[in-house]
Amino acid sequence: IDLPIHVGMAGRVPLKELLLYAVRCGISASMRMLRSKTSALLEQIRSTSMDKLILAFADHRLRHPASRLVRAHFFAFGSAERTVRWLNSVLSGQFEIDPDRLTITLTD
């Protein structure tokens, strides 16, 4: 397969809103499973922030420019305005990266 790969990830959506969106989309069976594994889910959320995923993707692109991972696609999940505002700030360079916490802070 030689096609470019676009990596999909959630936009700037708070977890509570993301879960509510999931319920509205009819994935109640998956939600029941997640509720039964609440402690594992919370640990995963604590250890993998969206910022870490985005920074890992950017780092991979910089280190491997010939990679087929070529673009990130953000799913807004009901928070399109928040996601677009965040992306516009990043594109205009109005952000700082905290290398210790692996977080992205907007500076506008």
Side-chain angles (χ1 to χ4, degrees):
I1 298 174
D2 295 323
L3 296 173
I5 299 169
H6 296 201
V7 178
M9 54 185 93
R12 302 303 280 191
V13 183
L15 178 62
K16 183 178 178 180
E17 287 180 35
L18 188 59
L19 294 174
L20 290 172
Y21 190 84
V23 169
R24 285 194 307 258
C25 289
I27 63 162
S28 55
S30 297
M31 294 301 294
R32 280 193 297 276
M33 187 278 302
L34 289 175
R35 278 191 215 116
S36 71
K37 310 236 184 267
T38 304
S39 62
L41 176 63
L42 290 174
E43 182 56 36
Q44 182 65 32
I45 290 166
R46 282 188 201 105
S47 65
T48 309
S49 74
M50 204 61 229
D51 290 351
K52 287 180 184 177
L53 292 174
I54 293 165
L55 292 170
F57 177 80
D59 182 62
H60 177 82
R61 288 288 299 137
L62 289 171
R63 292 177 191 265
H64 309 282
S67 170
R68 290 190 312 227
L69 296 177
V70 297
R71 182 170 291 167
H73 174 86
F74 295 96
F75 295 97
F77 294 114
S79 291
E81 185 177 329
R82 182 182 298 131
T83 299
V84 168
R85 237 183 296 127
W86 181 82
L87 285 170
N88 283 337
S89 293
V90 170
L91 287 171
S92 65
Q94 298 174 339
F95 69 97
E96 293 178 359
I97 297 174
D98 180 336
D100 297 324
R101 294 177 44 218
L102 289 178
T103 56
I104 302 169
T105 306
L106 301 182
T107 58
D108 59 355

